[in-house]
Every structure is written in C-alpha cells, then in structure tokens.
Amino acid sequence: MAEEATRSKSTAFLVPVIIMIVMALALFLPAGSLEYWQGWIWWSVINGMTLYITSFFVRRDPGLLARRMKVQEKETAPLTVRIMSFLSL
C-alpha cells in the first residue's frame, strides 16, 4: 500500500512536469526567444496553480488522485468530439 501511494505521488507530479515542458516548448519555440516576458508570466502562473492543486490533493486526499489516475475510458469519443478536441489545441 505504501509503495502504491509513493508511486501515485511521483506520477501525480510527473504528469504536470511533462505538461510544463511541453507548454514551454509551445510558447517559446514559435517566439524564437526566451525573452518573451509575457510568455514567462503566463507559464509561471499556470504552473504555479497546477503545482499548488497537485500538492494540495497529494496531502489532503491521495486516494482521490489514485482513483483519478486509474480511470480509463470505456469507449472512444465520437469523431466530432475528437476533431474539435484536436482543433482546440
């Protein structure tokens, strides 16, 4: 049980870190520079909120995080939903 809790904690922080890296690449590669200060502000605010929420749930309700990470969709989304999701990126 303790090993599963440790694994879920590490996974709970690993996913946001990967998302942070992808967001940084999506922001700063098109800008062509790291001197894009508006991007740094946006990236910092979003990452701060994400890390706060993740750490809050790791401390307060690790069971919730474990359940949320185990959920798998039973059926695929309709084609229209998948296309709209892709276009929203």
Side-chain angles (χ1 to χ4, degrees):
M1 182 75 173
E3 181 181 320
E4 183 177 321
T6 304
R7 185 172 25 145
S8 66
K9 282 183 184 180
S10 63
T11 304
F13 283 105
L14 179 65
V15 172
V17 167
I18 291 170
I19 291 171
M20 288 178 205
I21 293 168
V22 170
M23 279 193 324
L25 291 174
L27 274 172
F28 296 111
L29 283 180
S33 172
L34 293 175
E35 295 177 13
Y36 178 44
W37 65 268
Q38 296 93 338
W40 282 109
I41 291 173
W42 184 84
W43 188 78
S44 299
V45 169
I46 296 296
N47 292 336
M49 290 188 302
T50 301
L51 289 176
Y52 173 76
I53 291 168
T54 303
S55 63
F56 177 83
F57 282 113
V58 164
R59 282 179 307 190
R60 300 285 178 144
D61 197 356
L64 172 72
L65 284 177
R67 288 190 307 272
R68 296 281 297 187
M69 286 189 270
K70 287 182 183 179
V71 173
Q72 294 180 355
E73 293 188 34
K74 294 179 175 46
E75 60 185 50
T76 60
L79 181 62
T80 309
V81 173
R82 288 186 285 169
I83 291 171
M84 294 305 287
S85 296
F86 178 75
L87 292 175
S88 70
L89 293 176

